[in-house]
Amino acid sequence: MSRAQALFKPIPEQPPEMEGNPSTPAKVELGKMLYFEPRLSKSHAISCNTCHLVGLGGVDMLETSIGHRWQLGGRNSPTVLNAVFNTAQFWDGRAADLAEQAGGPLINPVEMATTHEHAVEMIEGIPGYQPAFEEAFPEAENAINIDNIQDVIALFEATLITPNAPFDQYLKGDANALSDQQKAGLDLFVNKGCAACHSGINLGGDQYQPFGVVEKPGADFLPPEDKGRFAVTESASDEYVYKVPSLRNIALTPPYFHTGKAWDLKQAVAVMGTAQLGAELNDEEVESITAFLHSLTGEQPRVEYPILPPSNADTPRPELGIDQ
């Protein structure tokens, strides 16, 4: 337990403060509305929640998400739950924080396929949003702008944390919170080297590592055309390097890896053993580590679905045609 307490930290009961983005109830409520707002997309059919379902572990349980005009995204959608504790966002870390991440899918032609300018125009065209923005930003002369849209979505996302997992209770001193098999799995997780990358509050999310440190996995798991963080840094040393994913609630969020090609958590554990550690884990070891990973499932956030303001005759229309 003492060794685990030195390597890991429990999820707190309350979301952390976000530097430069102070939270208020009005901002969080507005952020929740916008998180579930499909009219921020070009088709008026895709919201943040489409790919990061709050009631489904913060993911969509697809290998890659379905976006504008049924296009498939290039990578598996990471969970939004506890994402506030990650050092950066996206598999390649191209967004520094949740606010920057919130603006990315809006302008991705494969995802929501709009522009920041049109997103602002859209919200301005829905009369019910004006008073909500004025309440959230009472000092602002023009409250509806892309920075405020991104900031309030981030503040809502920061509330999507999952405290009180059995492992959190163990870290707080309850030796009975884990089963004997889970304790054996924790021992293997630490001693085999998993904790070298999957540590801290999120058991991951705070560093970048190549996928295939010891042995490169097959092309299904590591397609050669996706070079990971290299696309951000253009540094040869970042080829096939990705942000280490959080393992919080991992039992709820198949499929696994940036490709979404592993649907079985036991398979993912075995692949990571060979690819990252050079260890051929036997069946008992895989079972024990997997049992430990199940102890990372925390209390899921309960979110009341917001009532969104209606469109009117002046609200911009969705664009659905194949020529769009």
Side-chain angles (χ1 to χ4, degrees), residues 174-198:
D174 182 358
N176 296 318
L178 300 186
S179 68
D180 289 342
Q181 186 184 35
Q182 288 172 331
K183 290 175 184 176
L186 170 59
D187 185 66
L188 288 165
F189 189 85
V190 172
N191 290 324
K192 289 288 186 180
C194 309
C197 298
H198 293 283

Side-chain angles (χ1 to χ4, degrees), residues 42 70 172 176 180 199 213 243 257 265 276 284 312:
K42 190 173 188 178
W70 295 95
K172 293 176 182 178
N176 296 318
D180 289 342
S199 58
V213 172
K243 180 166 62 69
F257 305 138
L265 185 54
Q276 303 303 98
E284 183 179 356
N312 66 10

Side-chain angles (χ1 to χ4, degrees), residues 15 23 27 32 38 41 69 97 110 125 132 138 268 271 288 299 315:
S23 181
K27 286 182 179 179
K32 179 172 73 171
S41 67
R69 292 177 50 204
D97 54 30
V110 178
V271 168
S288 294
E299 295 176 356
T315 302

Side-chain angles (χ1 to χ4, degrees), residues 11-12 17 25 30 40 46 68 74 102 124 129 136 157 165 175 185 189 198 219 236 238 251 263 269 274 287 302 311:
I11 296 286
E17 294 290 330
L30 176 57
L40 280 172
I46 300 170
H68 186 64
E124 288 177 334
Y129 275 116
E157 290 178 340
F189 189 85
H198 293 283
D238 280 333
W263 284 87
V269 169
T274 56
E287 291 279 356
R302 290 188 167 273
S311 300

Side-chain angles (χ1 to χ4, degrees), residues 42-313:
K42 190 173 188 178
S43 64
H44 292 198
I46 300 170
S47 70
C48 303
N49 191 63
T50 302
C51 300
H52 304 281
L53 284 86
V54 174
L56 206 59
V59 300
D60 56 12
M61 290 197 176
L62 298 173
E63 289 185 4
T64 60
S65 297
I66 298 170
H68 186 64
R69 292 177 50 204
W70 295 95
Q71 297 176 89
L72 291 177
R75 294 176 183 149
N76 178 259
S77 291
T79 180
V80 70
L81 304 185
N82 304 307
V84 67
F85 301 117
N86 293 335
T87 191
Q89 307 299 326
F90 294 116
W91 280 98
D92 53 20
R94 65 186 181 273
D97 54 30
L98 285 176
E100 186 177 347
Q101 186 280 329
L106 288 172
I107 60 176
N108 189 321
V110 178
E111 297 183 52
M112 299 172 83
T114 187
T115 66
H116 287 169
E117 292 77 16
H118 186 64
V120 172
E121 179 186 21
M122 190 71 231
I123 297 302
E124 288 177 334
I126 303 172
Y129 275 116
Q130 186 66 44
F133 271 86
E134 289 175 354
E135 182 180 1
F137 300 96
E139 306 298 324
E141 187 173 329
N142 182 18
I144 301 179
N145 59 62
I146 192 62
D147 289 339
N148 287 347
I149 288 172
Q150 293 178 181
D151 281 351
V152 295
I153 292 174
L155 288 171
F156 169 67
E157 290 178 340
T159 69
L160 302 177
I161 58 177
T162 61
N164 296 319
F167 186 54
D168 290 325
Q169 297 169 32
Y170 181 80
L171 291 175
K172 293 176 182 178
D174 182 358
N176 296 318
L178 300 186
S179 68
D180 289 342
Q181 186 184 35
Q182 288 172 331
K183 290 175 184 176
L186 170 59
D187 185 66
L188 288 165
F189 189 85
V190 172
N191 290 324
K192 289 288 186 180
C194 309
C197 298
H198 293 283
S199 58
I201 192 169
N202 241 1
L203 283 84
D206 59 358
Q207 59 176 289
Y208 302 96
Q209 291 289 342
F211 191 9
V213 172
V214 178
E215 177 182 326
K216 292 235 181 284
D220 274 355
F221 296 143
L222 189 65
E225 65 274 11
D226 183 351
K227 294 190 176 182
R229 190 156 169 76
F230 173 79
V232 179
T233 66
E234 297 184 351
S235 170
S237 62
D238 280 333
E239 288 190 357
Y240 306 109
V241 168
Y242 303 88
K243 180 166 62 69
V244 175
S246 164
L247 296 182
R248 291 286 183 175
N249 305 291
I250 192 70
L252 304 181
T253 61
Y256 305 110
F257 305 138
H258 68 286
T259 56
K261 291 295 185 181
W263 284 87
D264 184 343
L265 185 54
K266 294 176 187 177
Q267 179 192 31
V269 169
V271 168
M272 292 300 286
T274 56
Q276 303 303 98
L277 306 175
E280 291 286 345
L281 301 171
N282 62 41
D283 289 347
E284 183 179 356
E285 289 172 329
V286 169
E287 291 279 356
S288 294
I289 292 173
T290 302
F292 164 65
L293 295 180
H294 277 263
S295 78
L296 304 178
T297 301
E299 295 176 356
Q300 300 301 290
R302 290 188 167 273
V303 177
E304 182 177 346
Y305 198 99
I307 303 301
L308 304 179
S311 300
N312 66 10

